[in-house]
Amino acid sequence: MRTRRMIILGVAAVCAVATTTYGLTPATAGATTAKPADAGSAVRVPAGRPAAKVAAAAPASVAYLRDRYGISATEAARRLALQELSTPLAATLANGLPGEYGGMWLDQAAGGLLTVAATRPESVRAAVAAVPDATHVRVVPVRHSLRQLTASATRIAKALGVAVGTDVVVDQTANEVVVLTGGEVAAGDRRLPVALRDAGVSARSRARVTRPSVPKACDPRSCVQAPMRGGIRLDIPRDDGTVGGCTTGFNVQDRYGVPYVLTAGHCVVGGRHTRIDDTWHQFLGPKIPVTVESGNAALAENAYPNDYAVMPYQVGALRQWGYPTTATTRPSLVNYWCVADNPRCTTGQDVAVTGYVPWSGIQTGWVVCATGSAYTPTAGETYVDSGAGAGYLPGTRCGQVTGKSAGGIDVRICARPGDSGGPLFTESDGKALGILSNGDPGQGPCTNPDEQNKYAPVSTILDRVNARANGRLGLRLALTGPVFGPIKR
């Protein structure tokens, strides 16, 4: 077996605000100003980072675009820079032109165009004219603003007694509200026709996709050096004496700075996990303690997209997984391992987590990356078999967001049982997006380029946990890693 060495990238400083999402506002320094037609005030358009700098921070994303669309490295860099810019641009347009802005998405198949929907295209065209790479920004006319669609989705969800984002979603590409039937809303619900008729915007219902899928739960592989990071395997003993496992997602912490590990809820909540579960790294040896399931019911659920387990460390485990208090920098990291089916990736470097993008801000067409640690051992190896299938190797793979159905994130990235809970993130700027929940069946090597898998959004999880804990926990994404020893405040 070929050995792959992991290189840790030290980061000199990280953002101190745990829930940073955009980093740019309509008043951001370095932005350019455009005045929309007939607008009363100018809209400040963010400038973004140079394409070369974005590409240098995202080698696997560049490789994905080159391989998938047959484009040059320069063109891939341009597309990634435009993707990174799209998040603050969307926030700017939503704030500056709320009555005109209708949403946006990246169309990779059409040449990497950023498509912006607008009820008054002339206003939005004037606003985006100052965007770097404006020649690849396309403004299309639509009937409804994103503000109208969002407000309508909220009203429909209230009328039906269900949740926005899970049962009622906004489809920006179609400029409509969609009620998903087959879950909390029955297709024959007598309230549904009235709710759709009174929506005030284009609205329809459709059945949830029910194609066969498998949970991505079981065993990861080995990585024993501190700090704890996303992408580390967790072995979990079950009630029946067998051992399964998952993958760590992100570091999180409560209002007091107490560290936790985020992974998928179905790893520890279910028929085979009726006791308080603990997790280990390399259960078959050297059996390093990691986390333990909390007795707080708010910290674990198993109902997609609320598929999460927020797990405190076992007693003494931080000695293994925490930074020493003497460390000059303590970034929170995502494990980044090169794999054989991504031949353009030759050197792994961990990605520092800089914040998260809320589910509402994640766009179809984005290039994203995911790390998993599922594995099926070969003869003579002492690893718990995750059921990944012979020939599948753990590590980081990149792909594309294909949609946001049922309140989650749909991606075209290969994954196997044992990858559950693993992180989904943007490679260039270290934004957390979600953790793996389930997806298409698959065994062994990644041979299906269109394999789909589903991730539970980080923003949904944080909001859900804090709501269930009645605000007492103050759970947030950690931008610094856990520390071993007393923290000087």
Side-chain angles (χ1 to χ4, degrees):
M1 179 182 299
R2 185 173 141 196
T3 300
R4 293 174 178 80
R5 189 175 66 175
M6 190 168 52
I7 300 174
I8 299 176
L9 176 64
V11 179
V14 296
C15 178
V17 181
T19 55
T20 300
T21 55
Y22 300 128
L24 290 171
T25 69
T28 300
T32 56
T33 302
K35 190 164 185 175
D38 302 323
S41 60
V43 174
R44 294 186 61 80
V45 178
R49 293 195 296 165
K53 181 174 288 189
V54 175
S61 299
V62 170
Y64 167 79
L65 285 170
R66 293 188 67 183
D67 292 341
R68 179 78 187 187
Y69 297 102
I71 59 178
S72 68
T74 301
E75 170 62 9
R78 180 199 67 75
R79 295 189 185 194
L80 290 173
L82 189 58
Q83 171 179 316
E84 187 174 292
L85 178 64
S86 68
T87 295
L89 178 61
T92 298
L93 294 175
N95 290 329
L97 296 169
E100 290 89 354
Y101 174 61
M104 69 172 60
W105 59 94
L106 272 169
D107 193 339
Q108 301 287 5
L113 295 179
L114 180 62
T115 304
V116 183
T119 60
R120 295 181 62 207
E122 66 277 7
S123 296
V124 175
R125 285 194 186 100
V128 301
V131 172
D133 197 18
T135 56
H136 290 93
V137 179
R138 174 179 60 187
V139 180
V140 298
V142 292
R143 293 179 59 190
H144 312 297
S145 69
L146 184 58
R147 180 175 64 175
Q148 289 175 311
L149 293 170
T150 303
S152 178
T154 301
R155 289 195 305 272
I156 293 174
K158 184 177 181 180
L160 297 175
V162 295
V164 174
T166 302
D167 306 294
V168 183
V169 299
V170 173
D171 185 340
Q172 295 186 29
T173 60
N175 196 236
E176 64 185 8
V177 174
V178 180
V179 179
L180 300 173
T181 61
E184 294 297 318
V185 182
D189 192 318
R190 288 181 294 180
R191 300 170 298 170
L192 185 55
V194 176
L196 295 175
R197 185 192 64 204
D198 296 340
V201 299
S202 299
R204 65 184 177 91
S205 65
R206 68 169 173 81
R208 292 174 181 271
V209 177
T210 57
R211 62 187 176 187
S213 65
V214 296
K216 304 299 184 181
C218 281
D219 176 61
R221 276 178 35 172
S222 60
C223 177
V224 298
Q225 62 265 43
M228 172 54 67
R229 70 206 78 185
I232 302 297
R233 98 178 194 173
L234 297 175
D235 289 332
I236 306 171
R238 302 188 182 104
D239 296 356
D240 58 9
T242 61
V243 181
C246 282
T247 300
T248 60
F250 296 98
N251 292 308
V252 293
Q253 59 186 206
D254 65 18
R255 66 170 75 253
Y256 305 106
V258 176
Y260 299 80
V261 173
L262 174 64
T263 190
H266 67 257
C267 299
V268 295
V269 178
R272 303 174 80 181
H273 299 277
T274 56
R275 62 180 180 82
I276 296 295
D277 290 291
D278 44 22
T279 73
W280 307 83
H281 190 61
Q282 295 178 288
F283 183 80
L284 299 179
K287 195 177 182 181
I288 301 170
V290 189
T291 64
V292 61
E293 186 181 358
S294 172
N296 185 342
L299 294 184
E301 282 187 275
N302 180 10
Y304 184 79
N306 297 313
D307 183 4
Y308 63 86
V310 179
M311 304 185 74
Y313 286 87
Q314 291 186 43
V315 174
L318 279 175
R319 182 184 298 275
Q320 173 72 42
W321 300 110
Y323 283 108
T325 55
T326 55
T328 55
T329 61
R330 300 193 292 263
S332 182
L333 302 172
V334 168
N335 208 18
Y336 195 109
W337 297 337
C338 293
V339 288
D341 51 20
N342 185 2
R344 295 184 186 276
C345 181
T346 57
T347 301
Q349 60 181 26
D350 287 356
V351 174
V353 177
T354 62
Y356 68 84
V357 180
W359 178 80
S360 61
I362 297 168
Q363 299 170 19
T364 296
W366 276 11
V367 175
V368 294
C369 299
T371 296
S373 46
Y375 192 60
T376 288
T378 58
E381 289 186 306
T382 54
Y383 291 100
V384 175
D385 188 352
S386 75
Y392 178 78
L393 296 176
T396 303
R397 294 173 172 85
C398 299
Q400 192 170 321
V401 176
T402 59
K404 297 194 300 181
S405 64
I409 309 165
D410 305 329
V411 300
R412 188 189 291 124
I413 297 178
C414 178
R416 296 288 179 264
D419 289 334
S420 268
L424 183 72
F425 58 96
T426 52
E427 183 184 19
S428 66
D429 57 357
K431 291 295 189 292
L433 303 178
I435 58 173
L436 180 63
S437 178
N438 64 84
D440 288 351
Q443 293 283 299
C446 298
T447 57
N448 177 9
D450 294 316
E451 180 180 330
Q452 301 275 343
N453 288 293
K454 297 177 180 296
Y455 286 75
V458 167
S459 62
T460 299
I461 293 168
L462 295 176
D463 289 346
R464 177 73 170 179
V465 172
N466 287 323
R468 296 184 77 206
N470 296 318
R472 293 189 297 269
L473 195 60
L475 192 74
R476 62 187 185 272
L477 182 71
L479 301 189
T480 56
V483 174
F484 171 64
I487 302 174
K488 295 181 179 180
R489 298 185 183 278

